[in-house]
Amino acid sequence: MARISVFGIGYVGVVSAACLAKDGHDVIAVDVDPGKIDAINNGLSPIVENGLDELIAEQHAKGRILATDDVQYAIDNSDVSFIAVGTPSAPDGSVGLKYVEIVCDNIGRALANKDAFHSVVIRSTIVPGSTEGTCIPVLEKASGKTAGKEFGVGYYPEFLRESTAIEDYYDPGLIVFGAMDNGTADILTEINETLPCKIHVVDLRTAEMVKYTSNTWRAVKVTFANEIGNIAKACGLDGQTVMEILCSDDKVNISSYFMRPGFAFGGSCLPKDVRALRHLAREKDVTAHILEAVMEANEAQIARAEAMVEKSGAKKVGFIGISFKPGTDDLRESPLAELAGRLIRNGVEVEIFDPYVHEAFANENSTAGRGNDVVPDLGGRLNADLGAVIDGSDTVLVGNFYRDTVERLEAVDKPMIDLTRMNRKKVSNGTYEGICW
């Protein structure tokens, strides 16, 4: 069991402190508010949260939790410190790090007087780069020590919902943390290893980004549901019933398949149906902010890929895939076809490897090239020889994933733009450029 100090007896801090104490850890809660300190030291909860009164009373009676405003005492009598202070918005909308900086400075000053190794773990919600760019410099300056060597550093976001926080703590949907050193990683693993959830160990900035992505995704879902509700009501329908039925489908609608960053969407359904629902909203005089933004954002992703090709300076581009998705010859509203058409209009020569579209043309199917209205002489641009397409191109653009092409593509020694991520381990570096990685 660990000795843990929790800085900030707010919502996250006090719930975390109480649950850590229940798990058998010795916990010191630290705050500047004497009212919160007195409450915990009298076995009372300083906030209203289901089950927290009983939990704090129980752990206080067992001697596992106490509160203080003495930073040095807390550092001297713990092995790891969690920082859980607020990060309210600054006037310009950026994250406010004032309280985090103050706590880091106070902890750093205390670390200067401690010989034993100590880990500092940020739990406050901070944007990617804040731990490395703000917290660590403040801690190092105040302590005179080096992060990752003379003291540990981690970022460990929380995903607790008010009113169900204790339940969420013991049955989490997500556990993620980053650590600079093995000691800090070991402590965070020990704290979480008995919980029924996979532990994701990543770098500090990824952990920071996951927290913001989680919160923003929930906000987007609420906004989308409200928007559908508004349109449904305008049509005389019950929006909650519509969304309940939608959410009953965990194969497609509640699925991770569509949550993979990459290129734009296309096909015979999504573009036209978003446009149609957007048009219906306009007819009903309902402002549909998300629907308006969806098509704009999709167009922007195509423009982003176009700019990447332009930046490469290629005069001839080899497309790996041209249909709207792998495994089909359907080009209806294919973003790859749209991209190819734009490049051709701008004087770039385009050659295409797409086994399914090529098969349709080779068999002289009546539907060969179905949906294409943007790529001139599509049949003449197709080449069944992957090697020839690669060798004859200045830049290779990977638009669709075909498993049997990966080995050959990974051996390419020329500029490559990847819109699908043919290898999960690859990130933008040198001549390789991924659209979202």
Side-chain angles (χ1 to χ4, degrees):
M1 294 299 166
R3 300 186 305 162
I4 303 169
S5 52
V6 179
F7 285 74
I9 312 179
Y11 176 78
V12 173
V14 70
V15 171
S16 298
C19 290
L20 288 166
K22 180 182 179 181
D23 292 342
H25 305 291
D26 293 322
V27 181
I28 301 173
V30 187
D31 206 287
V32 296
D33 186 335
K36 294 179 179 179
I37 294 170
D38 290 343
I40 289 179
N41 286 337
N42 285 297
L44 304 173
S45 172
I47 67 168
V48 177
E49 175 65 30
N50 288 335
L52 192 58
D53 286 322
E54 297 82 0
L55 187 56
I56 289 179
E58 178 184 276
Q59 298 312 312
H60 175 265
K62 293 181 178 180
R64 289 181 181 162
I65 186 171
L66 62 87
T68 182
D69 61 359
D70 189 333
V71 175
Q72 191 68 57
Y73 173 83
I75 296 299
D76 290 342
N77 290 278
S78 62
D79 306 305
V80 57
S81 296
F82 289 167
I83 297 177
V85 296
T87 53
S89 293
D92 63 356
S94 63
V95 61
L97 297 176
K98 175 183 177 182
Y99 302 120
V100 173
E101 290 185 65
I102 291 173
V103 173
C104 285
D105 181 71
N106 289 337
I107 291 176
R109 292 175 186 275
L111 289 178
N113 302 315
K114 182 176 182 177
D115 294 329
F117 189 85
H118 190 97
S119 293
V120 181
V121 177
I122 317 299
R123 300 214 72 187
S124 302
T125 303
I126 52 179
V127 296
S130 298
T131 300
E132 294 171 332
T134 299
C135 300
I136 290 175
V138 171
L139 286 164
E140 289 184 328
K141 181 179 179 180
S143 67
K145 297 181 177 181
T146 302
K149 294 181 180 180
E150 296 171 283
F151 66 91
V153 175
Y155 182 74
Y156 169 39
E158 53 78 27
F159 300 96
L160 306 177
R161 298 170 295 175
E162 294 194 36
S163 81
T164 60
I166 296 174
E167 177 185 339
D168 290 344
Y169 186 94
Y170 287 107
D171 187 19
L174 176 62
I175 297 174
V176 60
F177 64 77
M180 287 187 71
D181 54 283
N182 292 332
T184 302
D186 290 344
I187 290 173
L188 293 176
T189 299
E190 177 191 341
I191 288 170
N192 290 289
E193 61 187 356
T194 61
L195 298 175
C197 186
K198 179 180 179 180
I199 299 174
H200 299 270
V201 182
V202 297
D203 59 90
L204 296 171
R205 287 178 296 157
T206 297
E208 292 167 331
M209 187 63 180
V210 169
K211 172 59 176 176
Y212 268 91
T213 302
S214 173
N215 283 1
T216 304
W217 173 227
R218 281 179 277 169
V220 168
K221 288 192 287 186
V222 170
T223 305
F224 176 74
N226 289 342
E227 196 160 288
I228 293 300
N230 294 340
I231 297 171
K233 180 181 179 181
C235 295
L237 304 171
D238 186 333
Q240 289 197 347
T241 298
V242 171
M243 290 303 296
E244 285 167 1
I245 294 172
L246 181 85
C247 292
S248 70
D249 173 13
D250 59 5
K251 182 176 182 180
V252 176
N253 289 313
I254 309 300
S255 163
S256 61
Y257 181 83
F258 298 98
M259 298 293 288
R260 184 175 180 269
F263 197 37
F265 62 78
S268 61
C269 297
L270 301 189
K272 77 175 182 64
D273 292 345
V274 172
R275 285 194 294 265
L277 189 57
R278 182 180 63 181
H279 185 269
L280 176 63
R282 291 171 178 173
E283 278 190 331
K284 298 296 184 180
D285 198 27
V286 175
T287 302
H289 300 278
I290 288 184
L291 295 183
E292 295 289 348
V294 165
M295 297 307 295
E296 179 182 339
N298 203 53
E299 159 60 28
Q301 200 70 345
I302 299 174
R304 182 183 180 88
E306 183 181 5
M308 292 168 69
V309 174
E310 291 177 354
K311 184 179 178 181
S312 76
K315 298 300 182 184
K316 185 173 182 179
V317 177
F319 269 60
I320 312 303
I322 196 68
S323 58
F324 90 92
K325 64 183 290 188
T328 179
D329 67 330
D330 194 343
L331 282 90
R332 285 177 288 181
E333 299 213 40
S334 167
L336 288 171
E338 173 63 26
L339 175 60
R342 294 184 188 186
L343 296 175
I344 292 167
R345 290 194 296 272
N346 291 333
V348 177
E349 187 177 348
V350 171
E351 190 173 23
I352 301 163
F353 172 85
D354 190 310
Y356 296 92
V357 176
H358 183 272
E359 180 181 349
F361 273 90
N363 293 338
E364 298 182 348
N365 292 352
S366 60
T367 58
R370 59 185 171 135
N372 173 52
D373 58 0
V374 291
V375 181
D377 186 26
L378 174 59
R381 297 178 185 278
L382 293 168
N383 191 332
D385 186 339
L386 175 63
V389 172
I390 293 171
D391 294 340
S393 303
D394 302 323
T395 292
V396 176
L397 185 141
V398 185
N400 283 336
F401 178 81
Y402 304 115
R403 190 174 302 280
D404 56 359
T405 68
V406 173
E407 184 176 355
R408 178 67 178 85
L409 289 170
E410 288 192 316
V412 171
D413 186 22
K414 62 174 59 180
M416 176 178 289
I417 295 170
D418 192 351
L419 307 181
T420 188
R421 204 168 200 179
M422 59 181 182
N423 185 329
R424 185 64 177 78
K425 295 179 180 179
K426 293 184 75 67
V427 295
S428 295
N429 184 29
T431 59
Y432 174 86
E433 190 76 21
I435 191 168
C436 292
W437 48 88

